[in-house]
Amino acid sequence: MTVTDPDPREATAARTDPGRTLDVTLKVWRQAGPDAEGHFATYEAPGISEDMSFLEMLDVVNERLADEGVEPISFDHDCREGICGTCSLMINGQAHGPERGTATCQLHMRTFSDGDTIVIEPFRATAFPIIKDLMVDRAAFDRIVEAGGYITVAAGSAPDANLIPVPKVVADAAMDAAACIACGACVAACPNSAANLFTAAKAAHLNLLPQGQSQRYQRTETMVDTMEDFFGSCTNHGECEAACPKEISIDFIATMNKDYLRAKLKNRRYLSRNG
Amino acid sequence: MAVTLDPKVPPGPIDEKWENHKFSVRLVNPNNKRRFDIIVVGTGLAGASAAATLGGLGYNVKAFTFHDSPRRAHSISAQGGINAAKNYHGDGDSVHRLFYDTVKGGDYRSREANVYRLAEVANNIIDQCTAQGVPFAREYGGLLDNRSFGGAQVSRTFYARGQTGQQLLLGAYQALAEQIGKGTCTLYNRTELVDIVNVDGRAAGIVVRDLLTGEIRSHSAHAVVLATGGYSNVFFLSTNAMACNVTAIWRAHRRGALFANPAYTQIHPTCIPSSDEFQSKLTLMSESLRNDGRIWVPERAGDDRSPDQIPESERDYFLERKYPAFGNLVPRDVASRNAKAMIDAGKGVGPLHNGVYLDFTSSIERLGEQTVRERYGNLFDMYARITGEDPYRVPMRIYPAPHYTMGGLWVDYNLETTVPGLYAIGEANFSDHGANRLGASALMQGLADGYFVLPYTIGDGLAPLLGTKPVDTGHEAFARAEQEARDRYAGYLAIGGTRSVDWFHRELGKIMWDHCGMERSRPGLEKAISEIPALYAEFKADLKVLGDDRSLNQSLERAGRVDDFFQLGLLMCEDALQREESCGGHFRVEHQTEEGEAQRDDDEFAFVGAWEHTGEMRSAVLHKEPLVFENVKLTQRSYK
Ligand SMILES: Cc1cc2nc3c(=O)[nH]c(=O)nc-3n(C[C@H](O)[C@H](O)[C@H](O)COP(=O)(O)OP(=O)(O)OC[C@H]3O[C@@H](n4cnc5c(N)ncnc54)[C@H](O)[C@@H]3O)c2cc1C
Ligand code: SF4
Ligand code: FES
């Protein structure tokens, strides 16, 4: 008996025709301002090309709304290629929608089916107040970085870059952590609205590198303390890792916790010696 | 305002100019720095590095961005890398070679002294960023890795995976965050510059709009720095982030700053073609793909067969055919123009016939799928995600897209515009790339300006002002500019027409792309020059913006930006028309060699074209800064 393998080219044949179109129904959170009452509004969105990105679909819906005299839906976005971290959205209850390792702006309508109803809400967390409709204020992340998420170097004072070799595995691990785009999906997905994955990623990026050692413990302590001023506590649900568009590893949180404990110890010892 | 175009290039041999200049500029004593206020608008690579450095030196810095955080700036999306002449690989690189390549790459339309300084300080950038914790790629021995990029003959490009811009911006953002935490810098986020205010012929401050409340307010300072990026979005579709716009530098231009070389724009050959008319932006894929992919179209126009059904003998590998020496690796502009010619000839591929194939079949056969995956895996994934096609099985489709703007505000050697006290850095100025920018050199320029050049040169302008206070924002010049801004935004809402901002932007983009894009001709430019004012009149009469100006209103923000794009578009066409030669990214069909290469006219056009504003939609006045080349020999490019 001969088994014929399906020709892989068939499944992914080169496109020479425009793709299908979908008719979808949107249930969108509308809220006029930070203090206004919000509600879901339902909009029909017929004739959406499967090749559109999710945000292009919203652009089209917005143009149609404006034609009808309805104010367009406000949403945050900029690069539209998954790197700036500006886009957000809970799509059918999932931060950045159904695809793993994908930011909302990289999601395409071919992921959805004709006739689907799509529920679109803002990221919800006390530390992320709603600005309007689907836009939230994520400035609390900046406060965490200002508290210690840097390495101090005055411009012009740095030694030759190759003076300190960094093992490739270390540089690669730092890069894995540094890939965080500060989108806030981890917070939105967390039942406690904790920002541990974001904070741990930033701390790990700097704490792993030899250049980051002098400020390591002080950095960890001030960043974590600031984080706790704004965000809830981590109870290891792991929802953050699943929602993260950059697939930042939850292992970084464990490292941060260890460093935080040691920081408390170290700083106290340092203080007792000097105080 | 009387215009003088003095580039203020210091005397002496080229390799001593910067050292001498640093020694001769007036300094501000460290204790006096806190007595100066500096406004920095824009917190991308250029602005964040400048604000952080100035704050670190002790100045009072107010930094402005319309983003929610400095980390969102468009710089974040740069992929490929950043150049420096470290010569870590001993392949013969040097400051002089980097300088030479950059001047040549710019097709001899940049100012030698600025480019030399850029090449000199580039090494400091790598040191600075590494110390800040930028995780540049490393070799197994732990030292920094380099790659060769954009046709350079040496390996001088430092990179952090495919996210170099992100990592460099995070470095600058973190440095700025440190200063914000320490209180030397104050950040005004979601705040957009809408006008510049001059008092007694000097920049006195800015008028801004709070994007959350619509409130119009003023800020004054001893100096104003614009680091607001490029204007590729005048074409509507480009690889730039959605919010990139020209407003800050255009408003400065209207207030007297000369705008240099607006027509110099760069088109990038390897972008994913648009899939429908609602496409909002184009995605760039790294140029490195051309190292292993072969570009082709069907030989017969209108051939709609699927690519695997088209035999080798009926394919046209047009770059390999026309440029046997460089093949698929010809420079960006040559690759782009040739792709356009194929599509114009009806040979475009894909559902909209708007692409050419970039085919990896032979590389996969030669190297194996695994190697190709290691080299380009993330790019292939990105392509698959956007198009729904698997590039390991089916050739990619690519098309050129606007990518970078070499033009910008005219600045002298100190990065000061023609308005005293107003500086421009990063992509917002015109200074270092001439008519064409080489790959991996925009990041280098932004950080050079911000970390290493402006912090020195600005002191020279500030020193004489010691003891003076910034102009009070109650001054009538501020009050007038504020009222104009309020009227402008209220005006967009009051039109009550029928067409959206995006509609107008798209239509303007079509005119610009058709007539002032990859190829320009006199009849085309003249057509655009008559069409733009007509469309602009319609914009002012038939625009529809809903909502109000007392709360967040994204359509209203865009209306202001598109308004300025109209005015800029007209100037770009005038500049392109004026320049009766082809050079770098500016290709006039009337001026090409027999081989179809750009034909420069060094006798008539070796100058910077700097335009003076004379009124809305009115012909601007051209001023010329002659370009003198003492350290490089002008040659004609050839890639045959
Ligand atoms: C897809 C892509 C890939 C690239 N890859 C590379 C590469 O590999 N190597 C390379 O060297 N270059 C690359 N470039 C070019 C490079 O990224 C840019 O030229 C550079 O980052 C520009 O930096 P900037 O600081 O001048 O401006 P931007 O990063 O654009 O920052 C502008 C800032 O100004 C603010 N702003 C603008 N207008 C206003 C206003 N009116 N009011 C208030 N704030 C305002 C914005 O909020 C932002 O903070 C790439 C570009 C693109 C599009
Ligand atoms: S850790 Fe992931 S989900 Fe959280 S902010 Fe960073 S990129 Fe977003
Ligand atoms: S818009 Fe930039 S990450 Fe989505």
Side-chain angles (χ1 to χ4, degrees), chain B residues 394-471:
Chain B
V394 180
M396 286 184 174
R397 288 174 287 117
I398 55 168
Y399 194 59
H403 177 58
Y404 183 86
T405 50
M406 283 74 71
L409 291 185
W410 185 90
V411 289
D412 64 16
Y413 191 73
N414 290 325
L415 305 179
E416 191 168 20
T417 68
T418 49
V419 175
L422 180 67
Y423 297 78
I425 60 176
E427 196 173 337
N429 73 22
F430 89 107
S431 82
D432 297 352
H433 308 293
N436 178 46
R437 174 179 71 78
L438 289 183
S441 59
L443 303 180
M444 169 171 77
Q445 183 228 333
L447 291 179
D449 289 358
Y451 284 130
F452 297 109
V453 180
L454 183 83
Y456 283 101
T457 59
I458 204 168
D460 193 49
L462 291 172
L465 303 178
L466 186 66
T468 64
K469 288 223 164 324
V471 179

Side-chain angles (χ1 to χ4, degrees), chain B residues 173-234:
Chain B
Y173 153 69
Q174 287 165 198
L176 174 58
E178 178 179 11
Q179 297 303 324
I180 294 169
K182 288 184 173 148
T184 59
C185 295
T186 310
L187 181 73
Y188 297 83
N189 67 343
R190 295 200 195 262
T191 305
E192 179 160 358
L193 177 149
V194 294
D195 211 347
I196 307 265
V197 177
N198 302 325
V199 173
D200 300 332
R202 240 197 104 75
I206 62 174
V207 176
V208 297
R209 185 165 176 274
D210 182 328
L211 298 185
L212 299 185
T213 62
E215 199 187 335
I216 302 278
R217 252 182 271 134
S218 295
H219 294 267
S220 65
H222 292 93
V224 176
V225 181
L226 300 183
T228 48
Y231 51 85
S232 296
N233 279 348
V234 67

Side-chain angles (χ1 to χ4, degrees), chain B residues 26 61 98 183 258 276 543 575:
Chain B
R26 289 165 287 194
V61 179
L98 176 55
L258 264 53
D276 56 50
L543 177 69
D575 189 41

